[in-house]
Amino acid sequence: MSDPSAPPGTIGPVRTERLDAILGGLNDAQCQAVTATRGPVAILAGAGTGKTSTITHRIAYQVASGAFRASQILAVTFTEKAAGELKARLARLGVEGVEARTFHAAALGQLSRLWPQHTGTPVGDILESKAPLIASLASALPPPHRFVPRRDLASEIEWAKNRMVPPDGYLAEVVAASHVPPIPVELMERVYAGYERRKRAMGKLDFEDMLGLAVRLFDQHDAAAHAIRARYEAFTVDEYQDVNPLQHALLDRWLGGRDDLCVVGDDYQTIYGFTGATPSYLLAFQDRFPAARVLRLEENYRSTPEVLAAANRLSGRLGGYRKTLRATRPSGPAPVIRPVPGEEGEASFVVDEVRRLHASEGVSFEEMAVLYRIHARSEQFEEALADTGIPFQVRDGAFLRRPGPRAALARLRREGATTGSVAEATERVTAGLGFDPEAEPDSEEATRQSDLARLRGLAREFAAARPDAGIGEFLEELDRRFSAEESGRGVNLMTYHRAKGLEFQAVFLPRLLDGELPYRSGRNRAPVDEERRLLYVGITRAKRFVFLTWAADGRGGRSPFVDELTWRPSSEPRLASPSAAEPKAAVRAKGATPIGDPLFDALKRWRRDRAERDSVPAFVVFHDSTLAAIASRRPRTLSDLRTVSGVGPAKLERYGQEVLAVLDRN
């Protein structure tokens, strides 16, 4: 052990074996990072390269070598869970006393101690949620904006505050950043200003205020700044690519012009731009600290060479510091990149592969994940898995628990004894919640609108199949159809953002369509560079199996990222990727929809128009597979049409004559 009486920066009688033990098991690049104990250091840690182990061992080496005492080190993480993991790993290395906190926890601790001492006033209580203060402000908005989820308005306020933009500067910042708020900018400015007024009147603070007040304290009270700088001599900041301007301002105050700073991050995994996070601080680290050491971790311990070959194909377009992940694991199966027959066929493909991997490859359900761009996409896979009895767990946002369906179901339960059909009651309730099939909302509101449309479709299907059943029976049917979810068990369903930092044996990345990834809602399109990084994050979650699919008949065509993934130098391993350009006969042989068939296209146009008239998703009218069967068999009478799979009595009565008319015209 180091000599506790030795001053920082000196190496006392440290046992060589102690330092060797800390370096044990690390590769050369990790050892270089761990032994760089002083001065500015940037560790560019690619996905699966042992980032947490590296920074843990580096902090342990700083202490064991005598460079710093444990109490002089502040390690900043982005979650309390990550902070706890860091401290637990340090303890296993024999190091106690290092402070590991999130930015917010560190700021609150410093404010609680120093603010009253230097200002003579209390800090104030922390708001648990912005929603109560926003609620009445949102309710006063004109329709349909009053129905936007309160959390979306809260997120927009956080976006502004994380960029250190007050209400009177909000309009200019939105224009300068080409940012699209969830509601018209002048309405959002009104909500933001009203929220700040109410918060001040209550004497409350929100989470962003913790950081802002700490910055103000250190700027206005030199003694407070000196106390912090005397306490902490060295800083480590994890996930540095996701730091926002407010967090970086606080870090600057902590440093006070010093440079014992180690930052760890991967600009290829910058996916939180919508919160105000920016990789610019990581990318400009050497500009700020010309003497900084920049070290790359590229040996990947998570994924097979085949998975990494696919991820590396995107890396040339990700910008920033160039990194090429190198596999340390043995070879595995090639990634599957292929079109599938429609959205329903895509869900069936995922279910079939989940069952195959579980039965033939021994992969547990918990080691599989289905990733999607927005929460609204979970419903398709929830229902498909539930239908086959495969357990699943939805991370943040199961269909029936999301704001739109949850509010609608609560109202339907209250209306359980009202007159009218299930479909009519559901349409009335969803209309009251702001359902607008013509809306062009942002991504979060798109989820709510899509969920309300889906609920309407489910109600229509139920009413057609069971016209005499009531609302109570409809609610029971919904519970049954989505009943396979189990806490902590089963296939993981989550967004790309939620998957960051996780890993699985098998990862499914469906819906690779233009408009889905990169995402587009109405006139708004997400930044293509960040969307590409989302796909990179998705691929690099996989240890062994990865499946990238898209509906061959999807509106807008396949994602442009598919072309980037399927290009390869001749020296790279071949991917299992039947392309959309393969012969139509081969696609038909696999059971796909008849791409390019004029009759099938005509039936799809009719379905689209009918779905728009009924204000329901297109698949509620007929699934692609049903339209494909109709196009193939060309029934001429209602009796013939009734024999097609997917055409039940209710749909025959509702759509039969219109379908026959389309067939007659083509």
Side-chain angles (χ1 to χ4, degrees):
M1 289 293 293
S2 60
D3 182 352
S5 65
T10 67
I11 300 179
V14 180
R15 292 182 305 189
T16 302
E17 61 269 21
R18 170 70 174 140
L19 296 177
D20 289 343
I22 292 174
L23 297 176
L26 302 178
N27 62 41
D28 289 344
Q30 291 171 332
C31 284
Q32 290 182 42
V34 167
T35 55
T37 58
R38 300 300 302 255
V41 176
I43 302 174
L44 306 177
T49 58
K51 174 195 69 173
T52 303
S53 293
T54 302
I55 60 174
T56 304
H57 285 246
R58 181 180 184 273
I59 292 171
Y61 201 93
Q62 285 180 304
V63 175
S65 67
F68 299 98
R69 298 188 182 95
S71 60
Q72 294 176 313
I73 299 173
L74 175 59
V76 184
T77 66
F78 267 72
T79 66
E80 293 291 351
K81 180 180 178 182
E85 174 66 16
L86 184 64
K87 286 189 281 191
R89 291 194 184 199
L90 284 171
R92 290 196 291 271
L93 290 171
V95 175
E96 303 279 358
V98 171
E99 187 166 338
R101 312 286 294 274
T102 65
F103 272 106
H104 290 91
L108 180 59
Q110 294 164 16
L111 281 175
S112 300
R113 185 172 71 256
L114 297 173
W115 182 269
Q117 177 184 338
H118 292 279
T119 69
T121 60
V123 175
D125 295 328
I126 307 298
L127 283 172
E128 293 185 3
S129 169
K130 293 181 176 67
L133 273 67
I134 292 173
S136 59
L137 296 167
S139 297
L141 294 171
H145 309 303
R146 71 179 58 157
F147 301 109
V148 171
R150 296 348 181 207
R151 68 180 182 186
D152 294 2
L153 302 179
S155 295
E156 182 67 10
I157 291 172
E158 290 161 8
W159 175 85
K161 298 187 74 166
N162 284 333
R163 297 171 77 94
M164 306 178 74
V165 177
D168 59 8
Y170 175 75
L171 288 175
E173 184 67 16
V174 166
V175 173
S178 299
H179 176 69
V180 180
I183 58 177
V185 64
E186 65 279 0
L187 296 179
M188 190 64 232
E189 180 190 36
R190 183 202 308 174
V191 171
Y192 183 16
Y195 165 80
E196 287 293 303
R197 284 195 303 270
R198 292 183 176 188
K199 180 167 57 67
R200 284 195 301 270
M202 296 170 63
K204 299 281 190 179
L205 301 177
D206 59 26
F207 283 96
E208 293 71 43
D209 291 333
M210 292 184 204
L211 276 61
L213 277 185
V215 169
R216 196 168 92 194
L217 174 68
F218 301 141
D219 284 348
Q220 296 178 356
H221 298 274
D222 290 341
H226 177 75
I228 290 300
R229 293 164 192 164
R231 168 75 186 277
Y232 301 114
E233 293 282 344
F235 300 85
T236 297
V237 182
D238 193 12
E239 303 288 2
Y240 193 64
Q241 79 279 351
D242 290 327
V243 166
N244 63 48
L246 181 55
Q247 292 166 332
H248 204 264
L250 179 58
L251 178 61
D252 275 347
R253 273 59 174 186
W254 289 341
L255 284 168
R258 298 170 296 172
D259 67 357
D260 271 312
L261 170 65
C262 174
V263 299
V264 187
D266 180 8
D267 52 298
Y268 286 5
Q269 298 187 68
T270 303
I271 58 174
Y272 293 106
F274 61 91
T275 69
T278 171
S280 61
Y281 301 117
L282 176 63
L283 297 176
F285 193 76
Q286 279 186 298
D287 295 334
R288 180 180 180 187
F289 301 107
R293 296 188 64 182
V294 177
L295 304 166
R296 289 172 171 79
L297 304 184
E298 297 179 318
E299 289 189 50
N300 179 283
Y301 296 92
R302 176 187 299 155
S303 306
T304 63
E306 290 77 9
V307 170
L308 295 186
N312 285 333
R313 224 167 266 120
L314 293 175
S315 63
R317 299 171 182 262
L318 295 177
Y321 289 107
R322 184 63 190 266
K323 295 174 290 296
T324 301
L325 298 178
R326 300 186 300 274
T328 61
R329 295 191 61 189
S331 183
V336 172
I337 306 178
R338 58 161 294 178
V340 289
E343 290 184 13
E344 183 183 18
E346 193 162 34
S348 297
F349 173 82
V350 170
V351 169
D352 290 344
E353 286 300 314
V354 164
R355 285 192 293 203
R356 181 185 68 82
L357 291 174
H358 184 67
S360 302
E361 301 287 347
V363 181
S364 71
F365 292 130
E366 291 75 22
E367 277 290 326
M368 299 187 231
V370 181
L371 309 186
Y372 34 78
R373 180 59 178 81
I374 60 173
H375 289 303
R377 303 304 181 236
S378 77
E379 174 273 329
Q380 173 187 7
F381 301 101
E382 290 181 57
E383 191 168 4
L385 291 167
D387 282 346
T388 55
I390 296 175
F392 63 88
Q393 49 187 314
V394 185
R395 306 283 190 99
D396 303 333
F399 174 60
L400 295 184
R401 296 202 304 270
R402 292 199 288 265
R406 187 175 67 242
L409 295 182
R411 294 192 182 190
L412 284 171
R413 288 188 182 95
R414 292 197 295 268
E415 294 192 10
T418 59
T419 59
S421 71
V422 167
E424 291 170 346
T426 304
E427 290 182 6
R428 181 171 63 253
V429 163
T430 52
L433 290 170
F435 175 69
D436 179 8
E438 304 300 322
E440 292 185 350
D442 79 319
S443 60
E444 288 299 323
E445 176 60 3
T447 293
R448 199 178 74 92
Q449 291 288 345
S450 177
D451 285 345
L452 293 177
R454 175 56 176 152
L455 199 61
R456 284 185 164 207
L458 290 168
R460 287 178 179 273
E461 288 182 353
F462 180 82
R466 300 177 60 185
D468 297 328
I471 291 175
E473 291 162 300
F474 174 54
L475 297 177
E476 290 177 2
E477 173 67 8
L478 290 178
D479 287 337
R480 184 197 65 77
R481 293 180 73 164
F482 298 92
S483 63
E485 187 187 11
E486 298 185 33
S487 177
R489 290 197 63 243
V491 178
N492 295 271
L493 306 181
M494 67 185 77
T495 63
Y496 283 88
H497 289 97
R498 180 65 175 80
K500 177 125 180 340
L502 303 177
E503 59 183 33
F504 306 93
Q505 285 290 336
V507 173
F508 295 85
L509 305 174
R511 301 185 65 92
L512 291 184
L513 297 168
D514 190 14
E516 188 79 21
L517 198 75
Y519 186 75
R520 182 175 59 248
S521 178
R523 294 184 298 271
N524 304 326
R525 190 182 184 100
V528 173
D529 290 344
E530 186 156 320
E531 296 291 287
R532 183 182 290 109
R533 292 194 291 268
L534 273 176
L535 181 56
Y536 179 85
V537 167
I539 293 171
T540 55
R541 299 312 92 197
K543 296 179 181 179
R544 185 169 171 81
F545 304 95
V546 63
F547 302 85
L548 302 103
T549 59
W550 64 96
D553 62 336
R555 186 176 296 184
R558 71 186 189 184
S559 167
F561 300 148
V562 172
D563 294 329
E564 298 175 18
L565 284 169
T566 52
W567 177 88
R568 64 181 184 89
S570 58
S571 60
E572 287 193 5
R574 187 169 186 81
L575 300 176
S577 50
S579 72
E582 64 185 321
K584 291 174 186 174
V587 176
R588 282 198 182 95
K590 296 175 183 177
T593 50
I595 303 169
D597 186 321
L599 178 54
F600 177 70
D601 292 341
L603 287 166
K604 284 182 62 180
R605 287 193 296 272
W606 163 80
R607 180 184 64 177
R608 180 195 62 209
D609 294 341
R610 180 62 196 251
E612 289 178 355
R613 292 202 308 271
D614 292 346
S615 298
V616 298
F619 64 81
V620 171
V621 180
F622 283 122
H623 284 291
D624 287 341
S625 57
T626 303
L627 292 186
I630 293 172
S632 176
R633 294 173 59 173
R634 302 182 72 94
R636 293 300 179 188
T637 67
L638 290 176
S639 297
D640 291 341
L641 182 60
R642 176 66 183 85
T643 64
V644 175
S645 177
V647 182
K651 291 192 176 185
L652 185 71
E653 180 180 354
R654 184 176 301 157
Y655 309 123
Q657 293 294 349
E658 293 182 27
V659 170
L660 293 179
V662 174
L663 295 171
D664 286 342
R665 291 194 299 270
N666 292 273

